[in-house]
């Protein structure tokens, strides 16, 4: 199978490319820079130059592919709404090429879009409380004859090279002089190892069905307080509870994510695809020197 991958040089996307090539697939990866192009080529994939705003390049990649895995996203939280709109247009452009065919488009979403405080399952519907509309856009295109499904990533996709939420928390603790959690810190984040997530994308592409969401959660939920405790111990900093305005002052724009209560099941995904996560859990992975170097 020839697969077009966006975000192919990213933390998740590069693992997906490696998984697909190891399984015998041919991969074409979208590269927004020469550095990205070199990284994609070094993995053994074809390079398609462009970015998520270059709709012609996206259509070209989709046109020549037997399937699409969309892991790319512009991670600029200072203009998050605009980045979400770019994502929607990118999905629509790629999907328009696939309409009426048997080719599957897998888009990336997150369990964090689901209702907070309630066990999320694959049948749970997005709550609409954040502007990222990846899976909603893909599922809307089903009516146009596009075969599309979503992979909902856990809030923490962890492993060596992680530059997501957990490293942000580590840097914030260094800056503020304390590792913090909100109130009792009993709210939970699910986690998944990067390589386990990549394996799930491959299985979903090869054996998945259209119109469903798969959950890339290796564990259903880790109390946020325990994440803060590992960070505090590793950095030799106090671990403190923050509430109200103190929490906002400490976490800033990240306060919403710091209080996210996102218990999530992947039981149906495991049964449907035969997916069995084998990587370390979040706290074990976090409690390694690599997360605290530099």
């Amino acid at each position: 199978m020839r697969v077009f991958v966006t975000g192919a040089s990213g933390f998740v996307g590069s693992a997906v490319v490696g998984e697909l090539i190891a399984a015998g697939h041919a991969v074409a990866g979208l590269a927004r820079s020469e550095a990205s192009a070199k990284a994609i080529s070094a993995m053994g994939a074809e390079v398609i130059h462009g970015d998520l705003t270059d709709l012609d390049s996206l259509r070209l990649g989709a046109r020549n592919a037997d399937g699409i895995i969309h892991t790319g996203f512009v991670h600029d939280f200072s203009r998050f709404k605009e980045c979400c709109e770019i994502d929607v247009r990118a999905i629509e452009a790629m999907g328009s090429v696939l309409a009426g065919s048997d080719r599957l488009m897998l888009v990336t979403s997150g369990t964090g879009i689901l209702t907070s405080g309630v066990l999320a399952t694959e049948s749970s519907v997005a709550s609409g409380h954040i502007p990222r509309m990846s899976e909603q856009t893909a599922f809307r295109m089903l009516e146009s004859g596009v075969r599309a499904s979503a992979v909902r990533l856990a809030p923490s996709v962890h492993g060596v090279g992680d530059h997501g939420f957990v490293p942000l928390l580590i840097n914030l603790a260094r800056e503020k002089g304390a590792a913090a959690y909100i109130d009792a810190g009993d709210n939970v984040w699910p986690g998944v190892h990067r390589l386990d997530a990549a394996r799930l994308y491959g299985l979903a592409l090869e054996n998945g069905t259209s119109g469903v969401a798969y959950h890339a959660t290796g564990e259903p939920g880790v109390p946020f307080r325990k994440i803060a405790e590992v960070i505090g111990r590793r950095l030799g900093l106090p671990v403190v509870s923050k509430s109200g305005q103190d929490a906002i002052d400490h976490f800033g724009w990240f306060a919403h994510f710091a209080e996210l209560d996102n218990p999530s099941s992947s039981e149906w995904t495991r049964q449907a695809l035969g997916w069995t996560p084998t990587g370390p859990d979040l706290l074990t992975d976090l409690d390694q020197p690599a997360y605290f170097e530099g």
Side-chain angles (χ1 to χ4, degrees), residues 108-131:
T108 300
S109 183
T111 60
I113 70 171
L114 306 174
T115 302
S116 184
V118 178
L119 180 67
T121 68
E122 292 85 349
S123 62
S124 299
V125 178
S127 66
H129 66 284
I130 62 172

Side-chain angles (χ1 to χ4, degrees), residues 102-107 122 138-139 142 146-151 200-214 268-269 272-273:
D102 289 332
R103 296 174 291 169
L104 181 66
M105 175 171 63
L106 277 175
V107 305
E122 292 85 349
F139 291 156
L142 295 173
V146 177
R147 294 185 68 238
S149 290
V151 173
L200 174 54
Y201 277 99
L203 289 170
L205 184 72
E206 294 169 347
N207 306 310
T209 57
S210 179
V212 300
Y214 297 104
W268 180 83
T269 295
L273 297 178

Side-chain angles (χ1 to χ4, degrees), residues 227-239:
I227 297 173
E229 287 171 350
V230 174
I231 293 172
R233 174 167 51 79
R234 277 283 179 176
L235 295 178
L237 294 173
V239 180

Side-chain angles (χ1 to χ4, degrees), residues 18-39:
E19 177 72 22
L20 293 173
I21 290 176
H25 300 296
V27 177
L30 186 70
R32 68 184 184 278
S33 68
E34 284 306 314
S36 294
K38 289 179 180 178

Side-chain angles (χ1 to χ4, degrees), residues 176-240:
K176 300 290 185 177
Y181 53 88
I182 295 179
D183 296 330
D186 291 334
N187 58 299
V188 301
W189 279 11
V192 65
H193 192 272
R194 168 178 176 258
L195 298 182
D196 286 327
R199 193 174 308 113
L200 174 54
Y201 277 99
L203 289 170
L205 184 72
E206 294 169 347
N207 306 310
T209 57
S210 179
V212 300
Y214 297 104
H215 276 195
T217 55
E219 52 191 324
V222 179
F224 193 88
R225 183 186 65 257
K226 292 188 177 295
I227 297 173
E229 287 171 350
V230 174
I231 293 172
R233 174 167 51 79
R234 277 283 179 176
L235 295 178
L237 294 173
V239 180
V240 298

Side-chain angles (χ1 to χ4, degrees), residues 2-9 13 17 26-32 36-37 40-41 43-50 57 61 69:
R2 178 182 168 86
V3 187
F4 178 45
V5 179
T6 70
S9 63
V17 170
V27 177
L30 186 70
R32 68 184 184 278
S36 294
I40 292 168
S41 180
M43 289 186 284
E46 177 188 341
V47 174
I48 295 180
H49 293 274
S57 291
I69 295 181

